[in-house]
């Protein structure tokens, strides 16, 4: 099934802004990408529903979603369960939120069709060695119409990403990480009914190195990227970063 390529532009869902602290230490130039991604997390009203974050790390984003939907059950899963006093305080404040240790490739602890949303941020490029295995697990636990969302992933079609990350990989800096390719998403659609890929950072990739003081420069390059994507849609495949939304 073909995937749909897009470059979403503001306005984004106002609830996405509230979740921005979940971004942690990521570059400010990626704000539009995160706002678009978090808008996707809010697309289904999760009140009374269940959501699972995979590769959730310290779980700030899971907490942001639990705050946005206080009547949802939100589970943050990572190989290393988030723990400590801050996590305890969060779980007391947000009774629907919990954190578990587990492997994204083994969701056998969860019943079939038991989640409305499964998502990961900066996650898929850590799981890229077996995207098919991951999709088998996730599509089993998702309800029909449920969504599988990835936010902030690096794309190997962008030559600058490919070059910079090749050097960093050669230096052993990127551990279990891989760049992603659209053909991998196309293959994964066999487990879902649709796939949308939101592309960002055509020329904007180097802006990640620009300090917050010069954010006017990042904003200007973002506007140029948006114009280029609108004017020449074939450039969409060369975006450096993406969000991916599969629907079951
Ligand atoms: C780049 S961090 C992203 C953390 C968090 N999502 C964020 O945006 O800050 C990747 C995370 O993936 C987790 N991870 C890697 N492989 C995993 C697996 N097979 N199952 C669950 N978590 C995994 C790592 O422990 C790490 O916390």
């Amino acid at each position: 099934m073909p995937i749909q390529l897009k470059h979403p532009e503001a306005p984004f869902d106002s609830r996405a802004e509230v979740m921005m602290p979940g971004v942690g230490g990521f570059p400010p130039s990626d704000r539009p990408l995160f706002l678009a991604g978090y808008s996707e997390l809010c697309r289904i009203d999760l009140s009374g529903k269940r959501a699972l974050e995979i590769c959730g790390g310290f779980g700030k984003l899971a907490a942001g979603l639990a705050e946005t939907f206080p009547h949802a059950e939100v589970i943050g899963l990572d190989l290393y369960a988030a723990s400590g006093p801050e996590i305890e305080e969060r779980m007391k404040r947000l009774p629907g939120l919990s954190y578990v240790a587990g492997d994204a490739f083994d969701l056998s602890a969860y019943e079939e069709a038991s989640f409305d949303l499964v998502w990961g941020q900066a996650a898929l490029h850590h799981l890229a060695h077996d995207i098919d295995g991951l999709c088998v697990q996730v599509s089993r636990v998702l309800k029909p119409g449920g969504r599988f969302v990835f936010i902030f992933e690096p794309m190997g079609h962008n030559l600058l990403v490919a070059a910079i990350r090749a050097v960093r990989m050669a230096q052993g800096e990127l551990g279990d990480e891989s760049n992603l390719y659209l053909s991998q998403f196309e293959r994964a659609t066999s487990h879902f009914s649709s796939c949308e890929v939101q592309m960002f950072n055509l020329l904007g990739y180097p802006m990640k190195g620009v300090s917050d003081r010069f954010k006017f420069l990042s904003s200007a390059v973002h506007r140029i990227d948006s114009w280029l994507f609108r004017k020449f849609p074939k450039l969409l495949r060369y975006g450096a970063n993406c969000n991916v939304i599969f629907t079951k």
Side-chain angles (χ1 to χ4, degrees), residues 5 228-229 231-238:
L5 288 181
L228 286 168
F229 283 137
K231 188 89 180 145
F232 308 103
K234 284 196 171 144
L235 289 176
L236 279 166
R237 65 183 286 110
Y238 299 107

Side-chain angles (χ1 to χ4, degrees), residues 26 53 55-57 77-80 102-105 121-122 126-127 176:
F26 294 115
E53 179 177 25
C55 303
L77 175 143
D78 195 282
L79 284 178
Y80 314 96
D103 187 344
F105 290 110
Q121 171 171 287
H126 292 271
L127 309 173
D176 63 348

Side-chain angles (χ1 to χ4, degrees), residues 152-173:
F152 197 51
E153 300 293 348
M155 295 303 290
H157 300 284
N158 184 292
L159 296 183
L160 201 54
V161 171
I164 291 176
R165 288 175 62 90
V167 172
R168 294 186 62 200
M169 277 175 200
Q171 290 171 335
E173 280 179 30

